[in-house]
Amino acid sequence: MFKRRRSEVPTLNTTSTADISFMLLIFFLVTSSMDTDKGLPRQLPPPEDITEQQEVEVKKRNVMELQLDANDQLTCNGEPLTTDELTRRVAEFVANKQELASLPEKSEREVHLLGRCRVSDRHIITVKADRQTTYNAYFNMQNAIVRGYATVRNELARQRFGHGLAQCSQEERDALTMVYPQRISEVREP
């Protein structure tokens, strides 16, 4: 008489769930911002070829030796200084406006947009950091060096182009970089 009817549990239609999740994933990837890491603009030298090492003779006047010890004490050619003083020293060293015999030599070169000018292409800033140096001290030193280069390039841009380095076109920046190239050498500990 009474027939028991089997009750079926209603099911959900999940065929479009994968499509919706995929569309949400695409949406969040497109709308979210991806922060890029910033670092030091350095070009690393090619891997060393042990058979082809040449020793280059560099005059002492062309070298600025920076050293950072385990206590984060910065020295320039043996005398202690702060990062602000380092910025000023790098700018004076690279520019050598008075052509002093104690500062780097310059050479005469043709530079696009600037014509024939004296170029500071023989200087080298050597950086030696102790393994115990903190990253903060190391990056403060590197930033001070970069600020020194930016100072001399900005000054030249104002003299020759009538505006600061920030307003320079890429072509003008390239010309300024040819006059004051960034020449930094990292010294490895043995």
Side-chain angles (χ1 to χ4, degrees):
M1 176 169 318
F2 291 108
K3 282 188 178 181
R4 241 183 183 189
R5 205 169 140 196
R6 234 182 206 183
S7 63
E8 291 184 25
V9 177
T11 60
L12 292 173
N13 185 3
T14 59
T15 54
S16 64
T17 307
D19 294 335
I20 291 171
S21 0
F22 183 69
M23 287 178 17
L24 284 172
L25 177 67
I26 298 290
F27 173 76
F28 288 121
L29 284 174
V30 170
T31 58
S32 65
S33 65
M34 301 288 180
D35 292 335
T36 56
D37 292 334
K38 293 189 178 187
L40 299 171
R42 301 285 184 269
Q43 183 175 359
L44 297 175
E48 291 182 24
D49 185 9
I50 296 173
T51 60
E52 230 183 269
Q53 286 186 355
Q54 306 175 31
E55 201 166 301
V56 179
E57 190 68 32
V58 179
K59 293 181 182 177
K60 186 166 178 59
R61 72 180 271 187
N62 293 336
V63 179
M64 175 185 271
E65 295 177 359
L66 300 177
Q67 191 164 4
L68 205 51
D69 66 13
N71 299 323
D72 295 339
Q73 177 63 45
L74 176 64
T75 58
C76 177
N77 296 333
E79 71 179 65
L81 73 163
T82 65
T83 54
D84 291 334
E85 292 169 338
L86 177 60
T87 299
R88 183 185 52 75
R89 291 276 290 271
V90 167
E92 289 173 2
F93 180 76
V94 172
N96 191 8
K97 293 178 186 175
Q98 288 83 29
E99 301 273 341
L100 299 174
S102 60
L103 295 176
E105 301 170 295
K106 290 185 173 183
S107 58
E108 191 88 15
R109 185 176 284 170
E110 185 70 31
V111 178
H112 179 65
L113 297 179
L114 298 175
R116 197 118 184 105
C117 56
R118 305 280 291 156
V119 176
S120 179
D121 60 350
R122 297 186 182 171
H123 74 277
I124 298 173
I125 297 176
T126 62
V127 174
K128 184 176 183 181
D130 191 274
R131 290 185 187 270
Q132 303 300 316
T133 301
T134 63
Y135 285 112
N136 193 33
Y138 179 78
F139 285 113
N140 285 338
M141 177 191 61
Q142 289 286 348
N143 287 335
I145 294 169
V146 171
R147 277 194 310 271
Y149 278 102
T151 300
V152 294
R153 289 176 183 168
N154 189 42
E155 194 174 301
L156 183 62
R158 290 195 186 285
Q159 289 174 358
R160 300 303 280 274
F161 303 127
H163 53 265
L165 184 61
Q167 292 82 31
C168 287
S169 67
Q170 187 58 47
E171 193 176 27
E172 291 170 335
R173 286 177 184 265
D174 292 342
L176 296 170
T177 302
M178 282 190 71
V179 175
Y180 297 121
Q182 203 173 68
R183 297 175 47 100
I184 302 170
S185 172
E186 297 274 341
V187 179
R188 290 187 291 179
E189 289 185 5

